[in-house]
Amino acid sequence: MRYFETIFLEEANEFIAGLDSKSIKKIFYNIDLAEQTNDPRLFKKLQNDIWELRTKFAGLQIRLLSFWDKTDNKITLVIATHGFVKKVDKVPISEIEHATKLREKYFNSKHNK
């Protein structure tokens, strides 16, 4: 059973494409696992309805920030906004603010269709 399906916005795709193939495989493995288990070690709420998909690999802490879209009654979507390699313990506020802006843009464009 899948709890949600993950969709990637352009910035998230570009971030992932810039990583090495082993890191990419690990990210997709973790996302697949998070979709099936909803494990807080892999998928954790930050603030302002922003969540992080977490991957630790080769000494790097790779983060994809995301949000939920439950507007379709058939499937719950998690929309990955963008990614970064985390260098400190806390997720920088600027990254959360960026994800929040992308979330607003996503829902505005969805409602205007």
Side-chain angles (χ1 to χ4, degrees):
M1 177 190 146
R2 291 209 181 275
Y3 289 93
F4 58 87
E5 182 181 317
T6 307
I7 305 276
F8 302 89
L9 296 182
E10 188 176 344
E11 277 189 51
N13 276 327
E14 288 171 4
F15 170 75
I16 291 168
L19 299 171
D20 66 275
S21 63
K22 287 184 179 178
S23 295
I24 293 169
K25 280 183 186 165
K26 181 66 174 182
I27 288 169
F28 284 112
Y29 173 82
N30 279 2
I31 289 171
D32 188 52
L33 200 56
E35 289 175 347
Q36 295 175 51
T37 63
N38 218 356
D39 184 338
R41 289 172 300 180
L42 300 172
F43 190 54
K44 181 181 171 194
K45 184 168 187 178
L46 297 173
Q47 64 188 48
N48 301 340
D49 294 323
I50 301 300
W51 292 64
E52 66 177 345
L53 289 158
R54 310 168 86 181
T55 299
K56 206 175 204 176
F57 183 72
L60 298 176
Q61 296 209 34
I62 302 166
R63 298 294 187 258
L64 287 170
L65 296 192
S66 56
F67 60 88
W68 294 87
D69 178 355
K70 298 180 182 182
T71 55
D72 180 352
N73 293 330
K74 296 181 187 111
I75 186 149
T76 298
L77 298 176
V78 166
I79 313 298
T81 59
H82 70 290
F84 61 98
V85 175
K86 197 166 96 163
K87 294 177 172 65
V88 293
D89 283 346
K90 288 188 90 173
V91 173
I93 274 297
S94 60
E95 298 291 353
I96 294 171
E97 288 170 350
H98 185 58
T100 302
K101 285 179 184 150
L102 291 170
R103 179 181 182 272
E104 288 168 8
K105 185 178 171 186
Y106 169 86
F107 282 115
N108 285 340
S109 70
K110 188 171 183 173
H111 294 304
N112 291 335
K113 284 185 179 175

